[in-house]
């Protein structure tokens, strides 16, 4: 008994020595060149300006009722979000399990045996036992506490993964919707061009029969018409594929999902000139990476705790008798109390290797965290630049389209008057068509850049605890 007490006292005294604690790196902050007055700014934006308010549901700024309805259906039906939600539930259960590991355990058992232990010739005897056993591992070195910290960090990372997955799905749905509408507009444009080219072909055939136009003019008109018809079919295919992609995002079979055509793109909202400097702390992908860093550094403590002995307390009580009828009685009572200390003496360096592995893993996770931050900065800067440049590009494309359409009118009149060949008409028609297609592409790219920018700076979604 004195030996047990001395061992217990020594272990409790050693409990004052904490395991190795390595602090993770500090949280990422916005670079100094992008911060002023609590805001990020680009170019010549003045620090006196105020940041635009961007709602959590940033797609509302596009003022498209169909898109708003699709976003509501996305949250309920997306299968990836359901999987991420299940992962959060699993991580939460792991946290609770790690907490219960720090508490005593109690078990009970009832057993009965029949054996012959008195030698040959003796009658076999019965033995019955009803017992309870309690055990408790004292967390002297913080190994179990660090395990709970790891589970908690992983749970928080899973919650942030869910938030990031939701934001990503919402942004993808928004962009897929815009691309589908752009494909509709392109298809409608090409169908109008097909109708115009059919009229040009009819006019050219009449002029050919009248001896005014050459056979090559007719062939050029036919080539242009067939090319536009093929492009229209390709646009229709793109539209159908994007509609199928939206259906899958909503968790629906593509064959049973349709969207009415509108052949219209919304106007992009005004891009905020200034962005909150807390952007990095709001992004769930960065928060998830940061929590994984904390988990990796806590794992170092768990690995180092293996160098210290473990102390367990146990108690056992019950009844034992050869007869089951009077098993529970005072004369049959037995009990025991005990403690044990276990330590590994020789393990071929496995503990050192585990500790080194934990430190190397922490370094790798930290590097990944820094990379996630750099990527986030790049995304914001890229989309700020794109939104600004594409706005100017769209304006220039609109001016180019206006000039091409005016040139087409002039060349068509000249062709009817017989002053130019049909080749000039073909060139003018192709220029007008390509200018309008380029304008559609610029508008779609501008919406994509604004969509990504608003997604990056919108208020993050926090799952319910």
């Amino acid at each position: 008994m004195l030996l047990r007490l001395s061992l217990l006292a020594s272990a409790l005294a050693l409990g004052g020595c904490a395991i190795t604690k390595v602090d993770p790196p500090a949280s990422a902050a916005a670079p100094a060149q992008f911060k002023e007055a609590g805001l990020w700014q680009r170019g010549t934006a003045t620090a006196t300006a105020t940041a635009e308010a961007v709602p959590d549901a940033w797609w509302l700024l596009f003022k498209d009722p169909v898109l708003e309805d699709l976003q509501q259906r996305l949250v309920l039906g997306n299968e990836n979000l359901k999987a991420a939600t299940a992962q959060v539930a699993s991580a939460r259960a792991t946290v609770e399990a790690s907490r219960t590991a720090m508490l005593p355990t109690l078990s009970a058992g009832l057993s009965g045996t029949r054996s012959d232990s008195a030698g040959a010739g003796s009658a076999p005897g019965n033995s019955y036992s009803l017992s309870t056993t309690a055990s408790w591992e004292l967390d002297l070195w913080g190994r179990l506490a660090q395990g709970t910290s790891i589970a908690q960090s992983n749970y928080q990372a899973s919650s942030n993964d869910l938030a990031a997955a939701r934001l990503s799905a919402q942004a993808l749905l928004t962009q897929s919707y815009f691309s589908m509408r752009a494909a509709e507009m392109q298809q409608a444009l090409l169908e109008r061009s097909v109708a115009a080219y059919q009229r040009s072909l009819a006019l050219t055939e009449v002029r050919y029969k009248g001896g005014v136009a050459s056979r090559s003019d007719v062939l050029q008109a036919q080539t242009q018409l067939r090319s536009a018809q093929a492009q229209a079919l390709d646009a229709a295919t793109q539209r159908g594929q994007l509609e199928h992609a939206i259906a899958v995002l909503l968790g629906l079979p593509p064959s049973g999902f349709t969207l009415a055509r509108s052949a219209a793109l919304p106007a992009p909202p005004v891009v905020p000139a200034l962005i909150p400097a807390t952007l990095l702390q709001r992004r769930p992908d960065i928060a998830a990476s940061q929590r994984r860093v904390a988990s990796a550094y806590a794992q170092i403590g768990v690995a180092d705790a293996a160098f210290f002995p473990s102390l367990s307390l146990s108690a056992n009580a019950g009844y034992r008798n050869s007869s089951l009828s009077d098993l529970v009685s005072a004369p049959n009572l037995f009990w025991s109390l005990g403690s044990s200390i276990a330590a590994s003496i020789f393990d071929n360096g496995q503990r050192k290797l585990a500790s080194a592995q934990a430190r190397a893993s922490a370094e790798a996770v930290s590097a990944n965290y820094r990379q996630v931050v750099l990527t986030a900065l790049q995304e914001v800067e890229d989309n700020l630049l794109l939104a600004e440049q594409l706005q100017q590009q769209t304006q220039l494309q609109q001016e180019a389209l206006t000039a091409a359409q005016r040139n087409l009118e002039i060349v068509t009149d000249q062709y009817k008057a017989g002053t130019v060949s049909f080749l000039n008409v073909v060139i003018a028609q192709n220029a007008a068509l390509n200018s309008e297609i380029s304008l559609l592409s610029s508008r779609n790219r501008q919406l994509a850049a604004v969509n990504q920018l608003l997604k990056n700076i919108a208020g993050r979604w926090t799952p319910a605890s």
Side-chain angles (χ1 to χ4, degrees):
M1 184 66 179
L2 292 176
L3 177 60
R4 288 177 181 161
L5 291 176
S6 63
L7 290 174
L8 178 59
S10 300
L12 292 175
L14 290 172
C17 305
I19 61 174
T20 304
K21 181 174 176 59
V22 182
D23 293 327
S27 302
Q33 62 267 32
F34 298 123
K35 291 177 60 178
E36 187 170 341
L39 300 171
W40 283 16
Q41 65 176 26
R42 285 195 78 256
T44 58
T46 59
T48 57
T50 57
E52 302 281 348
V54 179
D56 292 359
W58 74 90
W59 56 86
L60 296 176
L61 298 177
F62 295 101
K63 299 179 181 179
D64 191 314
V66 177
L67 176 60
E68 295 171 15
D69 177 67
L70 293 175
Q71 291 288 358
Q72 293 178 357
R73 297 168 66 180
L74 171 76
V75 178
L76 299 177
N78 187 269
E79 297 297 335
N80 290 332
L81 295 184
K82 292 178 182 178
T85 302
Q87 291 175 353
V88 172
S90 175
R92 185 188 298 115
T94 302
V95 173
E96 297 301 325
S98 66
R99 289 172 177 168
T100 58
M102 303 178 65
L103 302 176
T105 60
L106 179 65
S107 61
L110 175 64
S111 64
T113 60
R114 180 175 177 82
S115 61
D116 182 3
S117 58
S122 62
N126 297 329
S127 177
Y128 301 97
S129 176
L130 175 64
S131 63
T132 58
T133 302
S135 62
W136 181 29
E137 179 181 353
L138 299 181
D139 191 23
L140 300 178
W141 323 112
R143 179 181 64 85
L144 298 178
Q146 289 284 49
T148 300
S149 177
I150 292 172
Q152 183 67 30
S153 295
N154 290 335
Y155 165 62
Q156 293 170 347
S158 296
S159 298
N160 286 306
D161 285 340
L162 173 58
R166 175 167 173 166
L167 286 174
S168 179
Q170 290 168 334
L172 180 58
L173 173 62
T174 302
Q175 183 51 46
S176 298
Y177 177 77
F178 291 155
S179 296
M180 186 193 69
R181 294 308 188 198
E184 288 177 357
M185 294 182 68
Q186 184 171 342
Q187 182 182 2
L189 166 63
L190 289 165
E191 288 174 349
R192 292 196 303 270
S193 297
V194 166
Y197 295 164
Q198 286 174 336
R199 292 192 296 269
S200 296
L201 175 60
L203 174 62
T204 304
E205 288 176 339
V206 171
R207 290 172 61 86
Y208 171 68
K209 292 177 181 178
V212 179
S214 64
R215 177 61 178 168
S216 64
D217 288 350
V218 176
L219 294 176
Q220 286 176 343
Q222 290 176 343
T223 301
Q224 188 180 43
L225 173 61
R226 297 296 180 258
S227 177
Q229 289 173 334
Q231 289 179 295
L233 290 175
D234 183 63
T237 301
Q238 291 181 9
R239 196 267 180 197
Q241 291 175 336
L242 289 166
E243 187 178 57
H244 295 166
I246 292 174
V248 173
L249 283 173
L250 301 181
L252 301 173
S255 59
F257 176 78
T258 57
L259 282 174
R261 294 175 178 268
S262 68
L265 280 175
V270 178
V271 176
L274 300 178
I275 302 174
T278 56
L279 171 68
L280 295 184
Q281 284 73 33
R282 292 156 63 101
R283 284 185 56 131
D285 56 340
I286 293 179
S289 183
Q290 184 180 3
R291 296 319 305 161
R292 289 190 171 91
V293 171
S295 174
Y297 275 85
Q299 187 63 46
I300 296 176
V302 174
D304 289 350
F307 289 96
F308 298 88
S310 62
L311 173 63
S312 298
L313 304 179
S314 63
N316 184 269
Y319 298 92
R320 184 182 297 116
N321 193 25
S322 59
S323 174
L324 185 60
S325 59
D326 58 348
L327 175 62
V328 182
S329 61
N332 301 326
L333 176 66
F334 70 90
W335 61 270
S336 65
L337 297 173
S339 63
S340 64
I341 293 181
S344 178
I345 298 176
F346 179 72
D347 61 357
N348 294 309
Q350 292 183 12
R351 287 172 296 174
K352 289 184 178 180
L353 292 174
S355 179
Q357 182 182 16
R359 283 169 167 78
S361 297
E363 287 294 329
V365 174
S366 298
N368 290 334
Y369 168 59
R370 292 189 292 268
Q371 183 61 45
V372 169
V373 173
L374 291 174
T375 301
L377 294 174
Q378 179 186 0
E379 287 180 0
V380 174
E381 287 298 300
D382 283 351
N383 288 298
L384 278 170
L385 179 63
L386 277 172
E388 178 182 348
Q389 297 296 331
L390 287 172
Q391 183 178 4
Q392 300 176 15
Q393 181 178 332
T394 301
Q395 179 62 35
L396 293 173
Q397 287 290 351
Q398 181 63 59
E399 295 174 2
L401 174 60
T402 301
Q405 289 175 336
R406 178 56 183 153
N407 179 62
L408 176 59
E409 294 174 359
I410 295 173
V411 172
T412 302
D413 291 339
Q414 290 175 340
Y415 175 68
K416 291 178 180 179
T419 58
V420 298
S421 69
F422 187 73
L423 178 61
N424 297 82
V425 178
V426 171
I427 294 174
Q429 287 176 332
N430 287 336
L433 177 61
N434 292 333
S435 294
E436 194 158 0
I437 291 177
S438 296
L439 177 60
L440 277 176
S441 176
S442 295
R443 291 184 59 190
N444 189 31
R445 291 178 61 199
Q446 183 184 8
L447 286 170
V450 173
N451 172 52
Q452 286 296 323
L453 181 61
L454 295 179
K455 171 249 184 182
N456 286 332
I457 65 178
R460 57 165 300 175
W461 175 72
T462 304
S465 59

